[in-house]
Amino acid sequence: MENTEKLWTEPDETGLTTAQRCVYRIRKKAVVLYKKGHGAKEIFLATGMNSVEVLRLWNRCCATDPETGECYGFKALVPRSKIKKFIR
């Protein structure tokens, strides 16, 4: 795992509802613990999230925006955030 976390931008939490803010913070905590090398059991006890879900969130954070070339970072953890455009 590379040191990308410091480059990740944070979303503006003032625009989130209380429920969205809570979910975002739990997701962020899980991803940060994963990045620091904590085990699946420890992450589950701290956040209630299983390893499959944490890995999915990690991959969302590491995905790059094709238009800007930047990682989505912590913005990808916001509930109902769209990181891919719908193409029919």
Side-chain angles (χ1 to χ4, degrees), residues 9-33:
T9 56
E10 305 239 359
D12 180 18
E13 289 188 39
T14 59
L16 302 176
T17 66
T18 305
Q20 288 175 322
R21 194 175 306 120
C22 289
V23 171
Y24 165 74
R25 289 179 180 169
I26 290 171
R27 289 177 175 180
K28 181 180 175 185
K29 183 176 184 177
V31 168
V32 170
L33 289 172

Side-chain angles (χ1 to χ4, degrees), residues 61-75:
C61 290
C62 292
T64 55
D65 184 352
E67 294 176 5
T68 63
E70 296 177 357
C71 285
Y72 287 107
F74 292 122
K75 293 185 289 187

Side-chain angles (χ1 to χ4, degrees), residues 9-60:
T9 56
E10 305 239 359
D12 180 18
E13 289 188 39
T14 59
L16 302 176
T17 66
T18 305
Q20 288 175 322
R21 194 175 306 120
C22 289
V23 171
Y24 165 74
R25 289 179 180 169
I26 290 171
R27 289 177 175 180
K28 181 180 175 185
K29 183 176 184 177
V31 168
V32 170
L33 289 172
Y34 176 78
K35 169 75 168 87
K36 290 181 179 179
H38 292 274
K41 185 176 182 178
E42 190 175 353
I43 295 171
F44 180 78
L45 291 173
T47 64
M49 300 182 80
N50 65 39
S51 59
V52 174
E53 182 69 10
V54 175
L55 185 58
R56 184 186 70 80
L57 292 173
W58 172 260
N59 289 331
R60 276 180 66 101

